[in-house]
Amino acid sequence: MVIIAACNPQPEVTPSKENMLRSKKWRITGGTITVKKPNGVDTNLKYLDYIDTCYSDDYLKFDSMYFGKSYTGSQKCNAADPEFQNFKWRLFNNDKSIDLYDGFNMIFAVTTSIEPYRFETLATSPEIKLDTIVGRLDTIPGFIKQFIVLDTIRELRYKRYPIPNFDLYGAEITEFSQLLFKVKFSFKTTRIDSTGFHAGAPNNFEPILVNDTADYFLTFSSF
């Protein structure tokens, strides 16, 4: 008598997203910050261009019981910096949202500034170019004053700064795998507004500071 036994292969069990987070180290490897230019139009900035170099190798480790550590990599900003800083985390909303708080401090922001008009008499490149000539009636009948608006030498600058102890709540988490995940979030900030009568041209007011939001879309990769 021959007995044949059939063995059913065990189904592969996909680890939960929480366990996937705990099993890896995670580092920010890309992403964008979307802010508004002074004219009100959105512009996308590469996030990694606006962090200090000494933060580029920092990484996260998600431990059990929803505690985590933010580790300082080999490039320390200050020799006295601790090896790590504790924070708390949680996944919720069917693992579509994440909180990183109570010690999380890996996020940089940008500030906007408009440098005043200047003449560079020695430079040959870029060539100084007069963009606009604006005519204004003078008090003397039939006489028009001409004002030159030097748009091409009015410089817009973005500067980076770290946000200490940044609490991130309800960030949208997407493209989750064992290799990477992405988070989308926004926070309130201010920006320079040069629209309307605030263009800084002759007979106009200087740009003003208004409330706005900065939108982030960051990629965390495992290693």
Side-chain angles (χ1 to χ4, degrees):
M1 180 174 64
V2 178
I3 299 176
I4 300 176
C7 297
N8 294 323
Q10 294 295 321
E12 293 186 7
V13 177
T14 302
S16 68
K17 290 182 178 179
E18 287 186 359
N19 288 334
M20 288 164 61
L21 283 177
R22 294 186 180 105
S23 66
K24 304 283 186 177
K25 299 175 183 177
W26 302 91
R27 178 177 292 149
I28 298 176
T29 56
T32 59
I33 315 173
T34 301
V35 296
K36 284 185 173 62
K37 295 180 179 180
N39 62 2
V41 178
D42 284 347
T43 184
N44 293 323
L45 307 174
K46 292 183 179 179
Y47 179 74
L48 294 182
D49 290 346
Y50 292 91
I51 68 171
D52 291 336
T53 303
C54 54
Y55 283 86
S56 61
D57 62 347
D58 289 8
Y59 63 92
L60 302 179
K61 188 72 174 68
F62 295 88
D63 299 329
S64 59
M65 300 299 293
Y66 305 108
F67 289 97
K69 292 182 175 67
S70 171
Y71 283 88
T72 301
S74 58
Q75 302 183 67
K76 285 194 172 185
C77 299
N78 189 311
D81 286 345
E83 180 184 356
F84 62 84
Q85 182 164 328
N86 294 309
F87 68 93
K88 296 177 183 177
W89 65 280
R90 70 164 183 148
L91 286 176
F92 63 103
N93 189 25
N94 293 323
D95 295 339
K96 296 178 182 178
S97 301
I98 189 169
D99 289 343
L100 302 166
Y101 62 101
D102 198 10
F104 184 72
N105 66 338
M106 291 186 70
I107 301 301
F108 275 74
V110 296
T111 59
T112 310
S113 63
I114 299 178
E115 298 303 308
Y117 297 123
R118 74 187 192 282
F119 288 98
E120 179 54 84
T121 57
L122 301 179
T124 58
S125 178
E127 180 181 345
I128 292 180
K129 183 178 177 182
L130 306 183
D131 288 337
T132 311
I133 297 180
V134 181
R136 291 288 187 271
L137 291 175
D138 195 15
T139 54
I140 302 176
F143 184 79
I144 296 179
K145 284 184 178 179
Q146 289 187 333
F147 298 93
I148 300 172
V149 181
L150 303 174
D151 296 325
T152 55
I153 61 172
R154 189 177 185 187
E155 185 179 2
L156 175 64
R157 289 185 183 179
Y158 295 103
K159 297 179 181 179
R160 62 180 177 262
Y161 69 93
I163 307 176
N165 299 325
F166 180 70
D167 289 336
L168 177 58
Y169 295 106
E172 181 184 352
I173 187 166
T174 64
E175 301 182 36
F176 205 135
S177 71
Q178 297 194 50
L179 298 177
L180 63 84
F181 64 88
K182 297 183 178 181
V183 293
K184 296 173 67 175
F185 60 93
S186 302
F187 72 88
K188 293 181 179 179
T189 184
T190 57
R191 67 174 177 87
I192 292 176
D193 184 356
S194 64
T195 59
F197 293 101
H198 295 281
N203 295 348
N204 282 345
F205 300 105
E206 289 297 315
I208 58 175
L209 202 64
V210 297
N211 293 325
D212 199 33
T213 59
D215 302 317
Y216 286 71
F217 190 33
L218 304 182
T219 299
F220 288 76
S221 299
S222 64
F223 66 100

